[in-house]
């Protein structure tokens, strides 16, 4: 069985930086272990913005500069990145929540199962899980609840419930 683990936006700015939370910091060891134990390919996404972030549609609604290409905050968390050594098949920079490029990548890879971990459950994880489900409706999609964190614990749970309703497996 050919499997893909998608590690969503486990970047410094979302863990300890501009938009970091205690919940995000708490999941790092579980994400590292999940990657290390995963028997398949690993792809990372990186939220990626330019210097003009505050002038973008997203920046006007979330006026916190984060994940600017090339900055320390844009980098993947070092432990999370290191866990994928020898398994990583790509890093996809995405300018917004969901990534059409990720969906095309997964479709081209002809994976039998896709699993997701990362940040934030209620924004980028749900966006990418639904994008993958829409394009690969017959492929089992699983989100690992203890390897994800939302903006708040309540919004994390709401996102997990929404994904369940869309036939995404939550483990």
């Amino acid at each position: 069985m050919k499997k893909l683990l998608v590690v969503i936006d486990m970047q410094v700015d979302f863990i300890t930086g501009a938009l970091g939370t205690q919940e995000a910091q708490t999941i790092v060891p579980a994400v590292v272990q999940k990657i290390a134990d995963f028997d398949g390919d690993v792809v990372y996404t990186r939220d990626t913005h330019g210097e003009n972030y505050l002038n973008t549609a997203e920046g006007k609604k979330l006026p916190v500069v984060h994940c600017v290409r090339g900055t320390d905050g844009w980098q993947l968390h070092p432990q999370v990145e290191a866990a994928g050594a020898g398994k990583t098949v790509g890093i996809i920079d995405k300018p917004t929540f969901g990534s059409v490029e990720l969906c095309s990548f997964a479709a081209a890879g002809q994976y039998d199962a896709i699993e997701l971990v990362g940040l934030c459950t209620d924004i980028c994880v749900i966006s990418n899980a639904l994008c993958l489900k829409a394009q690969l409706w017959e492929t089992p999609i699983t989100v690992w609840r203890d390897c994800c964190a939302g903006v708040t614990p309540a919004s994390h749970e709401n996102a997990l419930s929404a994904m369940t309703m869309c036939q995404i497996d939550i483990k």
Side-chain angles (χ1 to χ4, degrees), residues 15 24 27 41-42 45 47 49 70 75 82 89 101 146 152 164 171:
I15 298 169
I27 70 164
D41 294 342
V42 176
T45 69
D47 193 44
H49 302 294
Q75 301 300 324
V89 294
E101 184 181 349
D146 294 337
T152 68
T164 298
K171 291 191 179 175

Side-chain angles (χ1 to χ4, degrees), residues 2 4 8-9 27 48 52 56 59 70-71 75 77 81 88 103 114-115 126 128 136 138 140-141 164:
K2 189 174 180 188
L4 177 66
I8 304 288
D9 299 356
I27 70 164
T48 302
N52 69 332
T56 67
T71 64
Q75 301 300 324
H77 185 283
E81 184 174 22
T88 302
C103 294
I114 300 171
E115 302 180 21
I126 191 172
N128 285 288
L136 303 167
E138 289 294 331
I141 310 285
T164 298

Side-chain angles (χ1 to χ4, degrees), residues 46-104:
R46 281 188 301 214
D47 193 44
T48 302
H49 302 294
E51 296 292 335
N52 69 332
Y53 173 75
L54 293 176
N55 295 321
T56 67
E58 179 183 327
K60 290 176 183 171
K61 292 185 184 257
L62 178 63
V64 178
V65 176
H66 65 282
C67 298
V68 174
R69 183 185 299 277
T71 64
D72 290 341
W74 175 69
Q75 301 300 324
L76 294 169
H77 185 283
Q79 292 174 312
V80 172
E81 184 174 22
K87 300 178 184 188
T88 302
V89 294
I91 298 175
I92 296 172
D93 294 334
K94 56 184 192 55
T96 189
F97 308 135
S99 174
V100 173
E101 184 181 349
L102 171 64
C103 294
S104 296

